[in-house]
Amino acid sequence: MSAAEFAQSRGWRFGALLTLSMALLGAGDPKRANVSLKRLLKCFAQWLRDNALPRAYIAVVERGPKIGLHVHIAAHVPASYRPMLRGWLEGWVRAECARWGVAYERKASRLNRYGKDYALSHNIVTHYLLKGSDGGAVVQTATDAPDSEPVLLRDVLAFDFCDPGVVPIKRLFVGASISARARGEWRSKWERGERDVNFLYPPDFLKFVRRWCPVATLDDAEIAPVREAVLSLTEWQTRVKPLGDALPPETLGWQTVVERNVEIAGAALCRVHVQFALAGAMRDPQDRRRARAELRRSVEAAHVVVNENAEQIASLVEELELPLGRLVVRRLAAAEAAVRVLGASLGAAFDRPAWAAQTELHSLGI
């Protein structure tokens, strides 16, 4: 995955996928297969150099129940070069069959027939090579995962597991241009601890990944109810300001208390919204994890603030029958519910029940 990401960062997209059957080459046993495979990669690397192309390829060896040992090679070969690659591959296979004393078999090799370069092909081909990986492997523990659910390798791959069989020779080969040595100090997202598919892959590839819902990121839909609650309270304040001036002095004083409490609750909700935006904007997984923890704390604090102020407002409305205060009680109930739902997705702990659950809103004439 790191080699593929490095290749993509250099503009070397994998567009060609070669498949060769060792058995049909006459190299079905492990020793011969090992010799043929080394010769293939050496010759292929030379072909890339001869055509001024980087040695950006990944080869994976598998052993299937029908065709036995075979190799898949994902490589950066632009579409304009693929007809030449097809001709070279046929020539190499013919020579290898002759070397092992078997008749040439057209099915011994296959090259995908993409006639164009597709942006999606790089990740699709890479994930095809990974189909033999242990999908049950835990790549992020529940302790480290922001949603407290362990992330398995299958959650971040596009293809279902396919048993690669017992391979008695080396399984993985990486081209010199994208090897660990070539990458040097460069670190991939995966190596930096990223396990959120929304940051690992481009948006148009997410539909191919099983767990494409947010793992560590924050979906805009999660914050939408809180955003709407802030706008609702702000709209209420704008509406009641002119109306409050017409109230009798004794009622206006209590109305001012209500407005102040609404302002405090709105400010707490605004802090949640701002913290949400900060957490979602983080690109480094460690920074985003810390920002999400801070967001969880701000949600817990907002829940307390909204409950306390809403409860006091509801009490004043019931006792003094404040007409303008009555208009905001349901909005505060919706705000509390929005905070509670967001908090549930973040694993927030709420020490007190919702005030609205203990208050008969219809008794307030609402």
Side-chain angles (χ1 to χ4, degrees), residues 230-296:
V230 173
L231 293 175
S232 177
L233 295 180
T234 302
E235 188 267 341
W236 177 85
Q237 289 176 302
T238 303
R239 284 177 55 194
V240 302
K241 286 290 185 185
L243 299 175
D245 295 337
L247 293 173
E250 63 277 9
T251 306
L252 179 59
W254 290 113
Q255 178 62 30
T256 303
V257 173
V258 170
E259 292 178 15
R260 176 58 181 162
N261 284 8
V262 171
E263 185 178 340
I264 293 172
L269 294 172
C270 280
R271 283 193 292 273
V272 171
H273 189 274
V274 170
Q275 192 61 43
F276 186 98
L278 290 174
M282 296 295 180
R283 288 297 177 265
D284 184 272
Q286 299 301 326
D287 290 343
R288 196 164 60 252
R289 194 170 292 123
R290 286 191 289 269
R292 191 174 175 114
E294 184 61 35
L295 171 62
R296 183 170 58 249

Side-chain angles (χ1 to χ4, degrees), residues 218 223 226 265 267-279 290-306 339 342-343 346 348-350:
L218 297 160
I223 194 62
V226 175
L269 294 172
C270 280
R271 283 193 292 273
V272 171
H273 189 274
V274 170
Q275 192 61 43
F276 186 98
L278 290 174
R290 286 191 289 269
R292 191 174 175 114
E294 184 61 35
L295 171 62
R296 183 170 58 249
R297 287 190 287 270
S298 68
V299 167
E300 291 170 346
H303 186 262
V304 173
V305 171
V306 170
V339 171
L342 177 59
L346 294 165
F350 300 130

